[in-house]
Coordinates of all heavy atoms in Angstrom, one line a residue:
D1 N 88.5 92.8 96.4 CA 88.3 92.3 95.0 C 89.6 92.7 94.2 O 90.2 92.0 93.4 CB 87.1 92.9 94.3 CG 85.8 92.4 94.9 OD1 85.9 91.2 95.4 OD2 84.8 93.0 94.8
L2 N 90.0 94.0 94.3 CA 91.1 94.5 93.6 C 92.4 93.8 94.0 O 93.2 93.5 93.2 CB 91.3 96.0 93.7 CG 92.4 96.7 93.0 CD1 92.2 96.5 91.5 CD2 92.5 98.2 93.3
T3 N 92.6 93.6 95.3 CA 93.8 93.0 95.8 C 93.9 91.6 95.2 O 95.0 91.2 94.8 CB 93.7 92.9 97.3 OG1 93.6 94.2 97.9 CG2 95.0 92.2 97.9
R4 N 92.9 90.8 95.2 CA 93.0 89.4 94.7 C 93.2 89.5 93.2 O 93.9 88.7 92.6 CB 91.7 88.7 95.0 CG 91.6 88.3 96.5 CD 90.5 87.3 96.7 NE 89.2 87.9 96.6 CZ 88.4 88.4 97.5 NH1 88.9 88.3 98.8 NH2 87.3 88.9 97.4
M5 N 92.5 90.3 92.5 CA 92.6 90.4 91.0 C 94.0 90.7 90.6 O 94.6 90.1 89.7 CB 91.7 91.4 90.4 CG 90.2 91.0 90.4 SD 89.2 92.4 89.7 CE 87.6 91.8 90.2
V6 N 94.7 91.7 91.2 CA 96.0 92.1 90.9 C 97.0 91.0 91.3 O 97.9 90.6 90.5 CB 96.4 93.4 91.6 CG1 97.9 93.7 91.5 CG2 95.5 94.6 91.1
A7 N 96.8 90.4 92.4 CA 97.7 89.3 92.8 C 97.6 88.1 91.9 O 98.6 87.4 91.7 CB 97.3 88.8 94.3
D8 N 96.4 87.8 91.3 CA 96.3 86.7 90.4 C 96.8 87.0 89.0 O 97.0 86.0 88.3 CB 94.8 86.3 90.4 CG 94.3 85.7 91.6 OD1 95.1 85.3 92.5 OD2 93.0 85.6 91.8
S9 N 97.1 88.2 88.7 CA 97.6 88.6 87.4 C 99.0 88.3 87.3 O 99.8 88.4 88.3 CB 97.3 90.0 87.1 OG 95.9 90.4 87.2
K10 N 99.5 87.9 86.1 CA 100.9 87.6 85.9 C 101.8 88.8 85.9 O 101.4 89.9 85.4 CB 101.0 86.8 84.6 CG 100.4 85.5 84.5 CD 100.6 84.8 83.1 CE 100.0 83.4 83.1 NZ 100.3 82.7 81.8
T11 N 102.9 88.6 86.5 CA 104.0 89.7 86.5 C 104.3 90.0 85.0 O 104.5 89.1 84.2 CB 105.2 89.3 87.2 OG1 104.8 89.0 88.6 CG2 106.2 90.3 87.2
G12 N 104.3 91.3 84.7 CA 104.6 91.7 83.3 C 103.4 91.8 82.4 O 103.5 92.3 81.3
S13 N 102.3 91.4 82.9 CA 101.0 91.5 82.1 C 100.5 92.8 82.1 O 100.7 93.6 83.1 CB 100.0 90.4 82.5 OG 99.6 90.7 83.8
T14 N 99.8 93.2 81.1 CA 99.1 94.6 81.0 C 97.6 94.4 81.2 O 97.0 93.6 80.6 CB 99.3 95.2 79.6 OG1 100.8 95.4 79.5 CG2 98.7 96.6 79.6
V15 N 97.1 95.1 82.2 CA 95.7 95.0 82.5 C 95.0 96.4 82.2 O 95.7 97.4 82.3 CB 95.4 94.7 84.0 CG1 96.0 93.3 84.3 CG2 96.1 95.7 85.0
K16 N 93.7 96.4 82.0 CA 93.0 97.6 81.8 C 92.1 97.9 83.1 O 91.4 97.1 83.5 CB 92.0 97.4 80.6 CG 92.7 97.3 79.3 CD 91.7 97.3 78.1 CE 92.4 97.1 76.8 NZ 93.2 98.4 76.5
L17 N 92.3 99.1 83.6 CA 91.6 99.6 84.7 C 90.5 100.6 84.3 O 90.9 101.6 83.6 CB 92.6 100.2 85.7 CG 93.6 99.4 86.4 CD1 94.5 100.1 87.3 CD2 93.1 98.1 87.1
D18 N 89.3 100.3 84.7 CA 88.3 101.3 84.5 C 88.2 102.2 85.7 O 88.0 101.6 86.9 CB 86.9 100.6 84.3 CG 86.9 99.8 83.0 OD1 87.6 100.2 82.1 OD2 86.1 98.9 82.9
I19 N 88.4 103.5 85.6 CA 88.5 104.4 86.7 C 87.5 105.6 86.6 O 87.0 105.9 85.5 CB 89.9 104.9 86.9 CG1 90.3 105.8 85.8 CG2 90.9 103.8 87.1 CD1 91.6 106.6 86.0
L20 N 87.2 106.1 87.7 CA 86.4 107.3 87.8 C 87.4 108.4 88.3 O 88.0 108.3 89.3 CB 85.3 107.3 88.8 CG 84.4 108.5 88.9 CD1 83.6 108.7 87.7 CD2 83.5 108.4 90.2
R21 N 87.6 109.5 87.4 CA 88.6 110.5 87.7 C 87.9 111.9 87.5 O 87.4 112.2 86.4 CB 89.8 110.4 86.8 CG 90.8 111.6 86.9 CD 92.0 111.4 86.1 NE 92.8 110.2 86.6 CZ 93.8 109.7 85.9 NH1 94.2 110.2 84.7 NH2 94.5 108.7 86.4
R22 N 87.8 112.6 88.6 CA 87.1 113.9 88.6 C 85.7 113.9 87.9 O 85.4 114.7 87.1 CB 88.0 114.9 87.8 CG 89.3 115.2 88.5 CD 90.2 116.1 87.8 NE 91.5 116.3 88.3 CZ 91.8 117.1 89.4 NH1 90.8 117.9 89.9 NH2 93.0 117.2 89.8
G23 N 85.0 112.8 88.2 CA 83.6 112.7 87.7 C 83.5 112.1 86.4 O 82.3 111.9 85.9
K24 N 84.6 111.8 85.7 CA 84.5 111.2 84.4 C 85.2 109.8 84.4 O 86.1 109.5 85.0 CB 85.2 112.1 83.4 CG 84.7 113.4 83.2 CD 85.5 114.2 82.2 CE 84.9 115.6 82.0 NZ 85.6 116.4 81.0
R25 N 84.6 108.9 83.6 CA 85.1 107.5 83.5 C 86.1 107.4 82.4 O 86.0 107.9 81.3 CB 83.9 106.5 83.2 CG 82.9 106.4 84.4 CD 81.8 105.4 84.1 NE 80.9 105.4 85.2 CZ 80.9 104.4 86.1 NH1 81.7 103.4 86.0 NH2 80.0 104.4 87.1
E26 N 87.2 106.7 82.7 CA 88.4 106.6 81.8 C 88.9 105.1 81.9 O 88.5 104.4 82.9 CB 89.5 107.5 82.1 CG 89.1 109.0 82.1 CD 90.3 109.9 82.5 OE1 91.5 109.4 82.4 OE2 90.1 111.0 82.8
T27 N 89.6 104.7 80.9 CA 90.3 103.4 80.9 C 91.8 103.6 80.9 O 92.3 104.4 80.0 CB 89.8 102.5 79.8 OG1 88.4 102.3 79.9 CG2 90.6 101.2 79.8
V28 N 92.5 103.0 81.8 CA 94.0 103.1 81.9 C 94.6 101.8 81.8 O 94.2 100.8 82.4 CB 94.4 103.8 83.2 CG1 95.9 103.9 83.3 CG2 93.7 105.2 83.3
D29 N 95.6 101.7 80.9 CA 96.5 100.4 80.8 C 97.6 100.5 81.8 O 98.3 101.5 81.8 CB 97.0 100.3 79.4 CG 95.9 100.0 78.4 OD1 94.8 99.5 78.8 OD2 96.1 100.3 77.1
V30 N 97.8 99.4 82.5 CA 98.8 99.3 83.5 C 99.6 98.0 83.3 O 99.0 96.9 83.3 CB 98.3 99.4 84.9 CG1 99.5 99.4 86.0 CG2 97.5 100.6 85.1
T31 N 100.9 98.1 83.2 CA 101.8 96.9 83.1 C 102.3 96.5 84.5 O 103.0 97.4 85.1 CB 102.9 97.1 82.2 OG1 102.5 97.4 80.9 CG2 103.8 95.8 82.1
L32 N 101.9 95.4 85.1 CA 102.2 95.0 86.4 C 103.6 94.6 86.6 O 104.2 93.9 85.7 CB 101.2 94.0 86.9 CG 99.7 94.3 86.8 CD1 98.9 93.1 87.3 CD2 99.4 95.5 87.7
D33 N 104.2 94.9 87.8 CA 105.5 94.3 88.2 C 105.3 93.2 89.2 O 104.1 93.0 89.7 CB 106.3 95.5 88.8 CG 106.9 96.4 87.7 OD1 106.9 96.1 86.5 OD2 107.3 97.5 88.1
A34 N 106.4 92.6 89.5 CA 106.4 91.6 90.6 C 106.2 92.3 91.9 O 106.9 93.4 92.2 CB 107.6 90.7 90.6

């Protein structure tokens, strides 16, 4: 799922990732490269 979602996203676009880090949920913004 993650592989396809990232591949389908436009280069240079910023996506929001919901993550679990050390038992806590966080949201991280990532600007994708080619």
Side-chain angles (χ1 to χ4, degrees):
D1 292 337
L2 181 62
T3 300
R4 286 192 290 265
M5 289 178 189
V6 172
D8 289 343
S9 301
K10 293 182 179 180
T11 300
S13 64
T14 299
V15 298
K16 292 186 179 295
L17 298 180
D18 295 335
I19 66 172
L20 181 72
R21 174 177 291 172
R22 299 180 184 274
K24 298 181 180 180
R25 293 179 181 257
E26 302 179 17
T27 299
V28 178
D29 290 338
V30 183
T31 301
L32 303 176
D33 285 344

